[in-house]
């Protein structure tokens, strides 16, 4: 049994960044799979800009819940030592890992993903949001479709 944080059980680690680790987790009652980003509370004290970026990410993702090609933010939990940010779980890993496994995509598959990216960027454009960190590691796959993730460096644009 993994670590329990409120209604979630943390399972295996999915990834790690400069400021956080991401785990696959399961809601104890609903059995819904989620991804939980764990950030140590000391990181917010040590890196003042981190709180601004995190609040910005949560606020922006909360307004983009209807786009099927942008990862969904679910909740934030806090303990004495950590902050836990709950997101929808994407079962296909990252675009980077997919490209490493498969190599160059055939044109049809590349266009399939490209169309989804364009749809996501239409939503971001209409919402005056710039992601500022698009890379294959920040494009997740879920049931064969893309989900743009990691909005930590995003910025709302002035009208």
């Amino acid at each position: 049994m993994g670590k329990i944080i409120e209604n979630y059980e943390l399972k295996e680690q999915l990834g790690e960044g400069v400021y956080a680790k991401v785990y696959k987790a399961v809601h104890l009652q609903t059995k819904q799979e989620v991804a939980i980003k764990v950030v140590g509370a000391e990181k917010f004290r040590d890196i003042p800009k981190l709180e601004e970026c995190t609040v910005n990410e949560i606020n922006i993702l909360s307004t983009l819940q209807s786009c099927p090609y942008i990862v969904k933010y679910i909740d934030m939990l806090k303990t004495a030592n950590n902050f836990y940010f709950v997101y929808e779980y994407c079962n296909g890993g990252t675009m980077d890992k997919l490209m490493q496994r498969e190599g160059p995509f055939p044109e049809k598959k590349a266009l399939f993903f490209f169309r989804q990216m364009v749809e996501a960027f239409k939503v971001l454009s209409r919402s005056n949001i710039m992601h500022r960190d698009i890379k294959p590691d920040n494009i997740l796959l879920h049931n064969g479709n893309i989900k743009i993730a990691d909005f930590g460096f995003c910025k709302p644009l002035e009208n």
Side-chain angles (χ1 to χ4, degrees), residues 1-99:
M1 185 171 213
K3 183 176 182 177
I4 304 293
I5 303 298
E6 290 191 23
N7 293 320
Y8 296 95
E9 179 182 0
L10 272 58
K11 301 286 190 175
E12 75 264 19
Q13 184 174 325
L14 298 172
E16 186 171 352
V18 176
Y19 306 116
K21 292 181 180 179
V22 179
Y23 294 87
K24 181 178 179 181
V26 176
H27 191 278
L28 295 171
Q29 284 78 38
T30 66
K31 306 301 180 204
Q32 175 190 16
E33 293 179 319
V34 295
I36 297 183
K37 180 169 35 172
V38 182
V39 182
E42 80 283 350
K43 295 279 189 195
F44 289 103
R45 287 189 295 275
D46 297 344
I47 307 160
K49 191 80 173 159
L50 183 59
E51 182 176 357
E52 178 186 336
C53 290
T54 302
V55 168
N56 199 31
E57 176 177 17
I58 290 168
N59 289 338
I60 285 176
L61 283 177
S62 296
T63 68
L64 300 173
Q65 295 293 304
S66 65
C67 181
Y69 307 117
I70 295 175
V71 73
K72 307 288 183 266
Y73 168 76
I74 298 170
D75 199 4
M76 183 195 74
L77 311 169
K78 183 181 177 191
T79 63
N81 297 321
N82 294 308
F83 286 86
Y84 300 86
F85 302 96
V86 184
Y87 298 89
E88 77 176 304
Y89 172 69
C90 296
N91 59 18
T94 67
M95 182 67 73
D96 184 54
K97 295 278 193 274
L98 181 65
M99 292 186 318

